[in-house]
Amino acid sequence: MSYRTGKPEVNIHSYLDGSRLPFPLFNSFATTPAISTDGTQLLFALRTPRGDTDIFISKLDGSDRRNVTNHPAIDVSPAWSPSGKQFAFVSSRDGASQVYIADADGANVRRIVKEGGDADSPAWSPDGRWVAFHWKPRQSVNYDIFLAEVGTGNTLQVTSNSGSNESPYWSADSRHLTFQSNRTGSSQIYIMLADGSELRLVTTQGTNTSPSWSGYFR
C-alpha cells in the first residue's frame, strides 16, 4: 500500500526489476492487499460508495473485481487460508474490531471469538489448522497473541507477559510465530514456538514492528 498518489492505494511490483505491475488506482482508499497462495488472486480492502470499506477479490491485474463482504461496517486486513478456499479478515460489524472467517466468495461468515474486546492482524498457519491474531479482551490493558483452531473454534492464549504483543506471523513449517512486543519498553521482534515456549528476542535497537517470515524452510 502506498500514499504516492496522496491516498492509500494498492501497488504490485516485480521483485526482479522493481517495475509496477498493472493494477488500477481507484483515487479512493485501497489497502491491506493479500495475494493468494497460488499467485492468481488478490484480496484487498476498498472504500465503497457508502463510505465504509469492504473486502474485494480480483485477479492480480484488478480484473474480475468482486465485493465479497458487502457490509456497511469497516472490513479490512484479509488473510488467505493455504487452500485458497477461505480467508480471515477484521471487521467492526459487531461494534469493535474482531476477526472473522469467510469462504473465498464471502459466504459462511463466522466470528472467531465472541467475548468482545478488540482483535486484529489475523495470520493463517501454513498447515491450515490455526488462525493467529492479537486480541485485547474486555477489561484487559494490553494485547496478547491468541490462536483459534479453525475446525473447532477453540482458542489458545500463547503470550501473557507485560506489554502488548501484536502482529503475529507464521513460519513456513507452522511450528513458530514471530511477533512484535513492547514488553521491554520499546517495540521489538520476538520468535517463539507456536505454543508460546522457547521465546527469543531477535531485535534490540530502535523500534521494530510488523514482522513476516520467508516462505521456505529446510
Side-chain angles (χ1 to χ4, degrees), residues 23-201:
F23 193 81
L25 297 177
F26 300 102
N27 193 31
S28 179
F29 181 98
T31 187
T32 57
I35 297 175
S36 61
T37 53
D38 65 3
T40 64
Q41 298 185 97
L42 186 76
L43 287 169
F44 61 101
L46 178 65
R47 180 170 289 153
T48 73
R50 293 187 302 252
D52 63 302
T53 57
D54 282 335
I55 305 299
F56 286 74
I57 189 172
S58 73
K59 293 182 179 178
L60 285 190
D61 63 1
S63 62
D64 294 340
R65 187 171 70 252
R66 305 186 310 278
N67 187 335
V68 290
T69 57
N70 196 24
H71 193 281
I74 303 298
D75 300 332
V76 293
S77 302
W80 285 99
S81 70
S83 68
K85 295 180 179 179
Q86 294 175 292
F87 66 95
F89 66 103
V90 176
S91 178
S92 64
R93 62 187 61 196
D94 289 328
S97 294
Q98 287 291 333
V99 177
Y100 296 77
I101 290 175
D103 294 345
D105 62 0
N108 298 316
V109 177
R110 61 185 174 94
R111 181 169 154 179
I112 285 183
V113 292
K114 297 180 173 62
E115 288 82 358
D118 185 80
D120 208 336
S121 297
W124 212 302
S125 64
D127 64 8
R129 183 180 177 187
W130 303 94
V131 172
F133 58 100
H134 66 245
W135 179 32
K136 181 169 65 175
R138 288 174 180 162
Q139 312 303 320
S140 295
V141 176
N142 295 313
Y143 290 98
D144 274 302
I145 306 299
F146 288 78
L147 306 182
E149 191 169 29
V150 176
T152 66
N154 295 331
T155 58
L156 174 69
Q157 183 174 350
V158 293
T159 66
S160 58
N161 285 23
S162 60
S164 279
N165 305 284
E166 303 173 62
S167 301
Y169 199 99
W170 290 91
S171 64
D173 60 6
S174 299
R175 295 185 61 241
H176 296 79
L177 286 164
T178 182
F179 63 99
Q180 69 185 59
S181 177
N182 64 1
R183 64 183 66 188
T184 63
S186 63
S187 183
Q188 302 297 335
I189 305 302
Y190 293 77
I191 291 173
M192 64 182 177
L193 287 177
D195 63 4
S197 64
E198 298 189 21
L199 181 70
R200 181 160 62 95
L201 175 67

Side-chain angles (χ1 to χ4, degrees), residues 1-2 4-5 7-27 30 42 60-62:
M1 187 271 287
S2 173
R4 67 184 62 195
T5 65
K7 296 181 179 180
E9 296 280 2
V10 172
N11 288 257
I12 304 176
H13 286 259
S14 166
Y15 73 88
L16 296 177
D17 61 12
S19 61
R20 184 181 184 274
L21 304 181
F23 193 81
L25 297 177
F26 300 102
N27 193 31
L42 186 76
L60 285 190
D61 63 1

